[in-house]
Amino acid sequence: MISQNTFYISGRAKFEAQDYKGALEYYTKAIQEEENPSIYSERAVVFYYLKDMEASMSDMNYAAKLEPENPYRYSSRAFIKDAMGDTEGAIKDYEVAIQLDPEDSIAYNNLGLLQEKLGYQAKAKEHYAKADSLAEVNNLLDRIKKKNFEKKKFFLYLFNS
């Protein structure tokens, strides 16, 4: 179980301390101990922060392979694809994430951002409206305010959920 993997716990502590190289070392050991899609996903985030986009994408692809029905895997991969310049591929991944979880307001919002980036204003507007509607229904904004997230921590929360 991931929560009992001591290398994972140490990696998580290093990550939270922004020691990304230390986190990478522990997450790699954790993967050797336990092949878990969540650990691959978290190591992908570390690679992202270390600006190793190829390794980040490789780990996120593997996490999606291990857990193909988890919409978060596709949303995370979409974020990395866009950072690598593959906005069309990112859009496709957000569409898969939404297909798997039609209640994910963040995926709708991020899809809208990418569509707007490519000039698809009408589609973006549709997805923004859906994101706003779902965020309101799910009290997402209230939960964010209650947790008093800083911008960076909020990103980490979304990217590591």
Side-chain angles (χ1 to χ4, degrees), residues 7 10 12 15-16 21 27 35 41 48 50 56 59-60 62-63 81 89 92 117 133 139-140 147 160:
F7 292 124
S10 296
R12 188 78 193 138
F15 181 82
E16 289 175 7
K21 288 182 181 180
Y27 284 153
E35 187 173 72
S41 180
Y48 174 85
L50 291 172
S56 180
D59 272 7
M60 201 56 76
Y62 198 66
K81 282 183 179 181
K92 289 177 185 171
K117 180 178 178 179
S133 170
N139 296 319
L140 179 64
K147 291 196 178 212
N160 289 309

Side-chain angles (χ1 to χ4, degrees), residues 21-161:
K21 288 182 181 180
L24 177 61
E25 180 182 333
Y26 280 109
Y27 284 153
T28 299
K29 289 177 182 178
I31 286 168
Q32 292 168 351
E33 189 174 291
E34 171 188 5
E35 187 173 72
N36 183 299
S38 294
I39 301 173
Y40 276 99
S41 180
E42 292 200 31
R43 190 173 74 168
V45 174
V46 170
F47 280 127
Y48 174 85
Y49 277 108
L50 291 172
K51 301 194 184 329
D52 187 343
M53 297 302 180
E54 295 297 325
S56 180
M57 182 58 67
S58 177
D59 272 7
M60 201 56 76
N61 283 338
Y62 198 66
K65 180 181 175 185
L66 291 174
E67 204 172 34
E69 298 302 314
N70 185 335
Y72 175 72
R73 303 294 171 229
Y74 299 95
S75 290
S76 299
R77 191 170 68 180
F79 187 88
I80 296 166
K81 282 183 179 181
D82 185 53
M84 293 177 74
D86 182 10
T87 304
E88 290 286 347
I91 285 173
K92 289 177 185 171
D93 272 354
Y94 278 125
E95 289 171 343
V96 171
I98 289 168
Q99 185 178 21
L100 292 170
D101 181 5
E103 302 296 313
D104 186 347
S105 61
I106 295 166
Y108 278 103
N109 184 73
N110 291 349
L111 176 57
L113 287 170
L114 297 183
Q115 290 170 326
E116 186 174 51
K117 180 178 178 179
L118 295 182
Y120 306 130
Q121 303 305 325
K123 285 182 178 181
K125 189 175 178 179
E126 254 179 63
H127 289 113
Y128 290 147
K130 182 70 174 179
D132 290 346
S133 170
L134 287 169
E136 187 175 318
V137 167
N138 295 323
N139 296 319
L140 179 64
L141 299 178
D142 289 340
R143 289 187 307 183
I144 292 167
K145 287 177 189 173
K146 283 180 185 172
K147 291 196 178 212
N148 196 20
F149 283 110
E150 298 168 23
K151 233 178 192 180
K152 184 174 182 184
K153 287 185 180 176
F154 181 61
F155 166 76
L156 295 176
Y157 171 75
L158 296 177
F159 205 59
N160 289 309
S161 294

